[in-house]
Amino acid sequence: MITSYEGFTIDVVARWLRKSVLNPYLSVPFAAVLALMSARRNEAFGFSDLRLDTPQRVASLAALASLVISTTQHLNKWSANNWTTDDTWDFDREIIVVTGGSSGIGHSIIKHILARTPRATIVVVDLAPLSWELPKDSNIHYFKCDLTDTKALKTLCTLIRTQVGDPTVLVNNAGIARGYTIMEGSYADVELTIKTNLIAPFLLTKEFLPHMVRKNHGHIVNVGSMSSVVPPVRIADYSATKAGITAMHEALQLELKYIHKAPKVRQTLGIFGFIRTPLVTFDPGQPHFIMPLLHVDSVGEAIVDSLYSGFGRTIYLPGIMSSVVALRACPEWFWRLARETTVKVKDITFTPRQKINDSTGGLEAIESVKTEVNGY
């Protein structure tokens, strides 16, 4: 999609450039024609005789840049998927598990899947009740589960396998953030954040991966965060879990190929900036053009696009996040300056959908208002 849910941003400009000036199928022939015209005009017999004017030089640079970008994207795509294709994907038959699907990103993912495959088999796992009405004649199964409870999680996986079937798609989306500094947060805040955001995805992957490996077919999506790259203040525990998710994603890529011999099991990792969800209702105060507050459907649509492509990938939203990741290779003093820009972000005040039960130390869902599945 060339347009954007966020309006006019640098990502929109980048998409237009990739479709036009930086499209090698356009820029390379155009630069070649200009060079040929210059050669004929100047009666040049070789490259050393060419005399390019400014427009021709710009066209040549654009052609070179488009080739570099396209080659990089090609190598990224195929290396991430072990240079294999899988033509067996059929979303009328796949079983898709989405954690944290009662609202926010999870709801958006489900909405976009149903728009393409109305009868898709989807398992929604959440502690909170659904905030949207089930579409008529849909094949959606809702399981309430506290993912911080490992016994409940294991029971959940057994129920899914016996009542629905073996999942072929797992979307590890559920996550919480308490919004406290390291010193201010309670033991329960830290423990529940790590259990929900990191341990649960590990265990769910562990439960459902064997079937995918046996079939050499499946897709695991991990919803990461820019905080794994640039940890802001007040959410150190959340940032640590997202860094752990990235480590799990990268290690599993190699395990699937070299140990489990299942190169067609796909993985997608999302590195996302702030997203307007029920958890994040504030404006972080970042420059909208460069780092917009993401619309939840930008994220949901990108994830579903990856699923339906049959290929895994790393999704960077906003797109500038791919450049921010590269900054980690800079000298430490420069990286420190880059990280300190996060301190200027407005106070982070999360609106959690769960509360901590003081007597049990566990999570309890906060009731939410229901909406239609195709609403926002």
Side-chain angles (χ1 to χ4, degrees):
M1 185 175 69
I2 295 179
T3 57
S4 168
Y5 288 105
E6 293 77 31
F8 185 67
T9 67
I10 194 171
D11 283 355
V12 174
V13 175
R15 292 188 195 113
W16 276 104
L17 289 174
R18 288 291 291 123
K19 294 288 185 180
S20 55
V21 178
L22 297 179
N23 181 346
Y25 294 103
L26 298 177
S27 61
V28 173
F30 182 68
V33 168
L34 289 182
L36 182 60
M37 291 172 60
S38 176
R40 288 182 175 179
R41 185 170 59 250
N42 299 320
E43 297 182 350
F45 295 98
F47 286 110
S48 60
D49 297 326
L50 279 176
R51 297 293 183 268
L52 300 180
D53 56 23
T54 300
Q56 292 164 342
R57 289 174 182 171
V58 172
S60 298
L61 288 174
L64 178 61
S66 68
L67 286 173
V68 170
I69 293 171
S70 295
T71 301
T72 300
Q73 290 179 338
H74 179 82
L75 293 174
N76 286 344
K77 172 184 175 179
W78 289 103
S79 63
N81 293 278
N82 303 310
W83 306 91
T84 64
T85 58
D86 184 357
D87 299 325
T88 63
W89 284 99
D90 180 359
F91 280 86
D92 283 314
R93 302 176 62 183
E94 310 296 338
I95 297 177
I96 306 162
V97 174
V98 181
T99 66
S102 71
S103 65
I105 299 170
H107 172 207
S108 179
I109 292 170
I110 294 167
K111 180 175 64 176
H112 284 287
I113 291 174
L114 292 178
R116 303 188 190 198
T117 312
R119 289 287 297 164
T121 302
I122 302 174
V123 177
V124 183
V125 177
D126 208 320
L127 178 62
L130 295 181
S131 63
W132 41 274
E133 297 289 345
L134 288 174
K136 187 178 180 181
D137 298 326
S138 65
N139 193 16
I140 296 176
H141 308 262
Y142 168 74
F143 290 86
K144 181 178 180 179
C145 182
D146 179 359
L147 294 176
T148 66
D149 185 338
T150 54
K151 290 183 179 179
L153 185 149
K154 190 170 184 64
T155 300
L156 163 77
C157 295
T158 301
L159 287 174
I160 291 174
R161 280 190 290 262
T162 55
Q163 296 183 14
V164 185
D166 288 297
T168 52
V169 176
L170 170 62
V171 181
N172 286 315
N173 165 67
I176 64 173
R178 305 300 297 171
Y180 298 113
T181 67
I182 295 173
M183 187 175 71
E184 293 169 344
S186 67
Y187 276 44
D189 288 319
V190 175
E191 290 173 355
L192 294 175
T193 299
I194 293 175
K195 286 180 179 179
T196 302
N197 298 3
L198 183 58
I199 295 178
F202 256 93
L203 297 181
L204 289 168
T205 300
K206 182 179 180 65
E207 285 282 346
F208 297 136
L209 190 61
H211 175 76
M212 299 183 194
V213 168
R214 283 194 298 271
K215 298 294 184 180
N216 196 18
H217 174 84
H219 202 140
I220 296 173
V221 178
N222 290 305
V223 176
S225 169
M226 71 170 183
S227 66
S228 66
V229 182
V230 189
V233 296
R234 297 188 183 88
I235 52 171
D237 49 0
Y238 177 87
S239 301
T241 62
K242 293 304 181 180
I245 285 292
T246 299
M248 180 181 79
H249 168 85
E250 293 178 350
L252 186 56
Q253 282 183 319
L254 302 182
E255 291 177 356
L256 286 169
K257 180 179 180 180
Y258 293 105
I259 298 177
H260 302 306
K261 309 300 181 184
K264 293 185 180 182
V265 176
R266 307 309 192 196
Q267 285 189 270
T268 289
L269 173 67
I271 303 296
F272 303 122
F274 285 114
I275 308 163
R276 188 175 294 284
T277 66
L279 178 65
V280 180
T281 57
F282 59 90
D283 181 355
Q286 297 169 324
H288 177 79
F289 181 70
I290 298 175
M291 290 285 289
L293 180 62
L294 295 172
H295 191 291
V296 69
D297 280 334
S298 293
V299 176
E301 187 176 79
I303 289 173
V304 173
D305 283 345
S306 181
L307 289 176
Y308 277 77
S309 73
F311 293 97
R313 57 179 289 220
T314 300
I315 304 170
Y316 294 100
L317 287 177
I320 196 173
M321 284 310 304
S322 61
S323 300
V324 173
V325 171
L327 289 178
R328 298 213 69 151
C330 292
E332 186 175 343
W333 66 267
F334 186 85
W335 180 237
R336 172 62 184 259
L337 289 176
R339 288 192 294 114
E340 287 190 356
T341 61
T342 65
V343 179
K344 299 177 182 178
V345 175
K346 293 179 180 178
D347 288 346
I348 299 174
T349 53
F350 290 98
T351 307
R353 294 185 299 124
Q354 307 87 11
K355 60 182 179 180
I356 297 178
N357 186 310
D358 293 331
S359 59
T360 65
L363 291 175
E364 290 182 349
I366 298 175
E367 294 291 333
S368 56
V369 179
K370 286 197 173 185
T371 61
E372 295 294 332
V373 73
N374 58 351
Y376 295 112

